[in-house]
Amino acid sequence: MNEELGSEEGWEHAAWGLDRLSTQTRLLDPLTERFLLEAGLRPGMRVLDVGAGPGDVTFLAAGIVGPQGRVVSLEASDSAVWAIRCRAMERGLTHVHALQGTLDEARFHAPFDAVIGRFALMSAPEVPDTLYRLASNLRSGGLLAVQELDFGGARAIPSSPTFERVLSWVTRTLGKVGVHTRLGLELRRHFLDAGLPDPSLRIEENIGGGPSFPGYAMLGEVLQGLLPTMSRLGLVRPEELDVPTVVRLLHEEVGAYGGVLVLPSLVGAWATLP
């Protein structure tokens, strides 16, 4: 949890909109599902989802491992844990279990076949140490698979002053509250620094430009979620930032000219323990 954001849900809920089945979820989930399958998640596995938020990745994993498997969600937020439990009950998924707590507090009776996470490391003060602790919950031959963002790949073609401002606002705000905005491309180094095997890597990006491209709405959601923090840090005054106007300008400067927006990269790294 990052207290600087003024939300018990942490930056990934307040800013990235993962507290609901939102535009971001629709954009990211297909990328994460492909990643988990390529990394080696299979039916029957016992899986730990760390920093699970409201459970979007948990339920992707639950669909892959099936009822013969088991997915345990670990999340610090009480409200997020409650959301996972309600969603599991609504779907009749008895093989999904949500626990409230942190990695330092959690104790499990048996090691897992796989430990997974999306945005589980971005606020970690020492990423290699966190990766090492994640791996300590795996059996011999177990799978560690994580996905993180890299904002460096985000771009607009043709160049868009509004997009550059949005990207600057977001990355400066996240940087000031301790979020690693280039972590995706740093994952390999952190795996090696943690003494883990050299990971396999995958990078994917959402791209589009037409009026129906959900990336416009996603950027608007991110700005809206970060606005209180941006204001508190003095990066922008609320009256200076009208989110609907920003979303409209993005399309006018890029999409209307046949251009495209490339959203921040989603980088996955996975390794199997010896």
Side-chain angles (χ1 to χ4, degrees), residues 229-248:
T229 304
M230 292 163 59
S231 175
R232 185 164 61 252
L233 294 174
L235 298 177
V236 67
R237 293 194 300 270
E239 61 270 18
E240 294 177 327
L241 177 57
D242 180 70
V243 173
T245 299
V246 168
V247 172
R248 176 178 56 79

Side-chain angles (χ1 to χ4, degrees), residues 32-33 35-37 39-42 45-53 55-65 70-74 103 112-121 131 134-135 137-138 142-148 191 269-271:
T32 297
E33 185 172 30
F35 165 69
L36 293 175
L37 289 169
L41 220 62
R42 296 291 181 266
M45 279 186 164
R46 186 169 180 267
V47 179
L48 174 64
D49 179 20
V50 179
D56 294 331
V57 176
T58 290
F59 291 108
L60 291 176
I64 294 171
V65 303
R70 179 184 176 93
V71 182
V72 177
S73 299
L74 182 64
L103 192 61
F112 292 88
D113 299 312
V115 174
I116 62 175
R118 184 171 74 189
F119 310 152
L121 304 171
L131 284 169
L134 292 178
N137 291 287
L138 285 167
L143 170 70
L144 176 60
V146 295
Q147 274 187 319
E148 297 292 343
F191 265 69
W270 72 95

